[in-house]
Structures are given as C-alpha cells and as structure tokens.
Amino acid sequence: MNVLVLGGAGYIGSHMCKLLSTQGHQVVVFDNLSTGHREAVKWGPLIVGDILVKDDLENLFAQHEHFDLIIHFCAKSLVGESVKQPNDYYRNNVVGTLNLLDQMVKTGHDKLVFSSTAAVFGTPSVEFIDETQPRLPINPYGQSKKIVEDILQDYFQAFGLKSVCLRYFNACGADPDADIGERHEPETHLIPNILKSVLSGSQQKLKVFGNAYPTADGTCVRDYIHINDLASAHLLAGQYLDNNQGAYAFNLGNGSGFSVLDVISAAEHVVGNKIDYDIEEARAGDPPVLVADATLARQALGWEPQYKEIEKIIATAWGWHQNERF
Ligand code: UDP
C-alpha cells in the first residue's frame, strides 16, 4: 500500500511508519515538526507542512500518487495545556482536521484512520470503558477529539469517507530496537518522567500529581498500552475499511489498570533501583481511573496486543531512554 502518515515524525507516527515499512508498504510523512523530530522519519520521505495551511495540503496531494490509506496523527495532545489554551486545541485539532478531510474529499481519498483518545470519555462511571459508554469529555483536548469523531460520522454520510477512530488509552514504551522512542519537549508523561528521573540521578526528581483520588492508593489509574500494539491496530483498522463501509470507533488498551505508584514500583524492578518522588497537587483535567474494554477491537479487527506486562513495556522505554538517538 501507499500510505500517507500525517504526524509521522511524532512518537506514535514514527512507530507506525516503521511497522508499515517492515510490512512492505510505502510511506510518505507529512509533519510540521512542531513536536515531531526530523530524525524520527526514517522509512519514507518527509514533507514539512502544516494541516492549518490549506496550500500545504493541496501541494501534498497534488505532488503524490493516490494514497491507499491515510493515517492522521497530527494533534496537540496535552490535557493540561488544552485547559489553558483551548483556542490552539480547537484550531489545530478540529480546523486542521477539517482542512485534511476537505482535501481528501476533493482528491477522491476515502480511507482514514484517526487518532482519538480515551479523553473523549471524561470521567466514566464504569470500571472498564467500552464503546457504549457516553462520551463526556472534561477537557478541551478530549472535546476536540470528540468533535472530530462526530465530524467523521457526517463525512461518511455526506461524502462516503470511511474512517476508523482509535481511542488510545496510555500510549507508552518504545521500539524494542531503540531506533525511535518517546521524546517530548517538555516531557509530561509518566513513564518517560520516571526514567528521566532515574537517569538524572534524581536531579529531576519525579513528581506524583495527586494522592487523594478515589483509588486504592490515592493515585490515578491508567491503562498502559505499548506503542507497537497501537501501531498494529492502525494497520488492521486500515484493512478493516477495505471490507466495511462506515465511520467506526474502537477503544485500545490492555484492559488492566495501574496506579502511578504501581508504575513506579514496576519501573524500580526494571531499572534495579529505588525511585524517589514528591507528591504534588493533582493536575487539572485528570480523571481518576481510565481502563479500556477493548473487546470490540479484538473481535472486529482481530487485534491482539503483544505487550501485556507493564514491566516489559517499561523495559522497552528504558532501552530507548538510556541511549536516546535524537
Ligand atoms: N503523572 C505523574 N507524574 C508525571 C507525569 C504523570 O504523576 O510526571 C500522572 C498523571 O497525573 C496521570 C498519570 O501519571 O495520573 C498518567 O499521566 P500521563 O501524562 O502519562 O498520561 P495521561 O493519562 O495524562 O494521558
């Protein structure tokens, strides 16, 4: 297949490109390099451009052969930042995606896999979140993704644009060969922050955001899913659209919840050291518990996550952070 990966210089996008390439597909990356890295684009050409600039998208489609599949990762994705800068989140995530969709319709492209998020669910009232749960986001990031999910329904009805939204729970880990990995500036995610605190000899001491949540140990519980398992779901989702006509959504997680303190303890086993931390105030917009029920993705897509143990996931991230190449 000829695949366009928007946001292919980023964390999830670059792992996607490696998987596509190793499976024999051709990849073109489109990225504005705002958070992505030129060095992470290793499996196909990089077109530097912005989904907010309509001319950039027009040129992209004008200069390439037809794409068999389009995978769209370009987004602003920090919950806390979205609370402070909702304008940027709605503009980039909603308006930028509309620009892409309109270009797709104009150029006769009808297959999209879209990065959505567990944040569309807000603070769910059930332990395991399946696709029947109401989408009630509690921050502008989640709201921006929910709006795009709804737009995709309408674009299918009006224009026949087929799509799969994949709602990631907590993406983590790295390529086991350590060619690519997670690198955000500033880093806000738990596992890289734990490992960076270890590598800094506790100079960048880990902060645990909140210990009075209604959970067993008072810290937030999340469902950590390996980046390569997410990537494989995108490929399966693209294949799903060959035989299914519609706008679909699937939740992607391992189905097990780990508290922040559980993750720290698993990381201690991986690195072989005790990890110090300070308890800080809870972050704005963080729900207490988010754990997926991914039964539908398993059944419909035939998806089976390979990394089921949190320590194995952390070990791949540790392999990357000890020797970051960019
Ligand atoms: N967290 C933390 N310290 C950090 C980073 C994150 O305590 O340095 C907590 C955060 O409050 C949340 C969980 O770890 O409860 C996962 O946060 P992350 O940013 O990795 O992912 P999110 O769930 O926000 O997408």
Side-chain angles (χ1 to χ4, degrees):
M1 278 192 299
N2 209 8
V3 186
L4 170 62
V5 181
L6 297 114
Y11 173 45
I12 310 180
S14 58
H15 287 78
M16 184 74 238
C17 292
K18 182 169 182 179
L19 176 71
L20 285 164
S21 176
T22 53
Q23 305 258 326
H25 302 292
Q26 279 74 50
V27 178
V28 172
V29 171
F30 178 91
D31 200 298
N32 69 1
L33 299 178
S34 59
T35 54
H37 306 276
R38 194 177 283 278
E39 301 85 338
V41 183
K42 306 185 189 197
W43 295 279
L46 167 65
I47 314 297
V48 179
D50 199 314
I51 52 172
L52 285 173
V53 179
K54 288 184 182 173
D55 283 352
D56 286 357
L57 286 169
E58 247 180 70
N59 291 337
L60 167 73
F61 284 95
Q63 286 163 13
H64 289 86
E65 302 264 306
H66 187 84
F67 297 109
D68 303 302
L69 174 64
I70 297 180
I71 309 182
H72 174 33
F73 294 102
C74 299
K76 287 186 157 287
S77 61
L78 301 178
V79 166
E81 188 181 70
S82 81
V83 175
K84 292 186 186 127
Q85 300 164 19
N87 47 339
D88 288 343
Y89 276 69
Y90 289 117
R91 190 174 304 109
N92 195 83
N93 297 1
V94 180
V95 178
T97 300
L98 271 176
N99 290 342
L100 169 66
L101 297 180
D102 286 342
Q103 250 329 294
M104 286 181 66
V105 171
K106 203 164 135 190
T107 54
H109 288 85
D110 69 349
K111 260 170 60 181
L112 179 75
V113 180
F114 173 68
S115 292
S116 190
T117 170
V120 298
F121 293 110
T123 307
S125 53
V126 294
E127 197 177 344
F128 299 101
I129 306 164
D130 69 11
E131 290 76 3
T132 65
Q133 287 306 305
R135 293 171 308 146
L136 300 166
I138 58 166
N139 52 61
Y141 168 58
Q143 183 66 30
S144 72
K145 294 286 185 174
K146 174 178 181 270
I147 292 170
V148 173
E149 289 192 355
D150 293 342
I151 289 173
L152 286 171
Q153 295 288 341
D154 296 341
Y155 269 59
F156 175 69
Q157 294 302 332
F159 308 117
L161 194 152
K162 298 179 281 177
S163 58
V164 175
C165 296
L166 295 176
R167 298 179 185 134
Y168 318 144
F169 282 61
N170 285 61
C172 56
D175 168 36
D177 303 330
D179 278 341
I180 41 178
E182 186 166 13
R183 184 162 160 75
H184 297 113
E185 288 292 341
E187 188 53 78
T188 62
H189 293 108
L190 180 62
I191 292 175
N193 277 351
I194 293 175
L195 299 177
K196 279 166 183 253
S197 83
V198 174
L199 288 168
S200 74
S202 283
Q203 273 183 9
Q204 288 176 46
K205 195 163 171 196
L206 178 67
K207 296 173 178 167
V208 169
F209 298 124
N211 67 349
Y213 284 96
T215 61
D217 65 22
T219 64
C220 284
V221 170
R222 295 287 181 273
D223 182 337
Y224 293 87
I225 178 83
H226 193 273
I227 195 82
N228 281 356
D229 285 329
L230 289 182
S232 70
H234 289 72
L235 197 47
L236 293 166
Q239 289 159 359
Y240 184 77
L241 291 178
D242 290 335
N243 304 316
N244 295 276
Q245 316 282 323
Y248 304 92
F250 299 105
N251 297 351
L252 299 181
N254 266 316
S256 334
F258 293 91
S259 73
V260 174
L261 298 186
D262 291 335
V263 177
I264 295 172
S265 148
E268 288 179 338
H269 286 123
V270 173
V271 305
N273 266 317
K274 176 132 188 47
I275 298 169
D276 289 334
Y277 57 84
D278 290 325
I279 302 285
E280 304 270 329
E281 253 184 58
R283 281 191 320 200
D286 270 351
V289 182
L290 287 174
V291 182
D293 176 343
T295 308
L296 194 62
R298 286 165 193 267
Q299 286 173 350
L301 305 179
W303 180 62
E304 191 52 54
Q306 300 301 305
Y307 290 85
K308 297 199 172 105
E309 290 156 32
I310 187 80
E311 292 190 8
K312 281 202 181 141
I313 296 177
I314 296 171
T316 62
W318 183 228
W320 159 254
H321 286 294
Q322 285 177 103
N323 185 22
E324 282 186 35
R325 301 194 188 155
F326 52 81

